[in-house]
Amino acid sequence: LIGAAGGQDIEMSADMDELASALFSVMILLIGLILAFVTLFLAVSTVVRANTKTIAMMHIFGYSFKECGTAILNGYRPAAWIGFALGTIYQYGLLKIMITVVFRDWEGIPEYHFNWSVFMIVLISFLIIYEMIMYVCSLRIKKISIKEIVLE
């Protein structure tokens, strides 16, 4: 999902200590977190809301709400992982180009290297938060009223 791209702002802000001020790093971090959480939550909520009739029909045919949640939401996990990977590559490439091409004539600009420890922390955090949001949205599936859906 699109929210995966916000994780790269977290990587970028954690690795900016040599390139920018602490305030700038915090601003990038906050923007990335807000963008990631809001986008991810809206996207998953929209998917659940768009599939209420499908979920109701699946439940009528004997599927548990857990199975409904799995069927509706599991297809988005690979897209989120791919989005995270592509966002990481994009962020690294963008910073590398900025440092080597745009700022090559400036004095005192340090070389930019990929920070694997920050990447692993952000990846693990992303996976935990992503799964928590998926869990919360699957709980929302349990609150779908089959009676209201059938009466529509």
Side-chain angles (χ1 to χ4, degrees):
L1 295 171
I2 297 170
Q8 284 65 47
D9 289 337
I10 298 167
E11 286 177 45
M12 187 186 315
S13 70
D15 201 30
M16 295 286 286
D17 55 345
E18 295 178 358
L19 302 173
S21 68
L23 179 62
F24 186 70
S25 296
V26 170
M27 286 178 13
I28 291 174
L29 177 67
L30 290 176
I31 290 169
L33 288 173
I34 291 169
L35 174 68
F37 290 137
V38 170
T39 305
L40 180 60
F41 187 74
L42 287 174
V44 176
S45 295
T46 302
V47 168
V48 170
R49 201 172 325 116
N51 286 294
T52 54
K53 290 182 182 181
T54 303
I55 293 166
M57 291 304 294
M58 288 176 69
H59 191 65
I60 288 170
F61 285 118
Y63 291 95
S64 70
F65 282 115
K66 183 178 181 180
E67 291 171 323
C68 295
T70 300
I72 299 297
L73 298 175
N74 271 1
Y76 294 96
R77 280 186 173 87
W81 298 333
I82 290 169
F84 187 87
L86 291 177
T88 299
I89 294 167
Y90 171 76
Q91 173 251 323
Y92 174 74
L94 184 64
L95 277 175
K96 196 69 167 171
I97 288 170
M98 283 178 50
I99 299 299
T100 58
V101 175
V102 176
F103 297 114
R104 70 174 174 250
D105 296 334
W106 288 36
E107 286 282 323
I109 300 292
E111 185 69 24
Y112 178 71
H113 300 286
F114 192 79
N115 190 332
W116 285 100
S117 59
V118 170
F119 172 75
M120 292 308 294
I121 291 169
V122 172
L123 177 63
I124 291 168
S125 300
F126 168 73
L127 292 174
I128 290 169
I129 292 168
Y130 183 80
E131 291 304 320
M132 286 173 45
I133 289 175
M134 295 298 262
Y135 177 74
V136 167
C137 287
S138 67
L139 290 178
R140 292 180 72 190
I141 289 175
K142 290 181 182 178
K143 294 180 182 178
I144 293 174
S145 171
I146 296 171
K147 185 177 180 181
E148 287 179 24
I149 302 296
V150 172
L151 291 177
E152 282 185 8

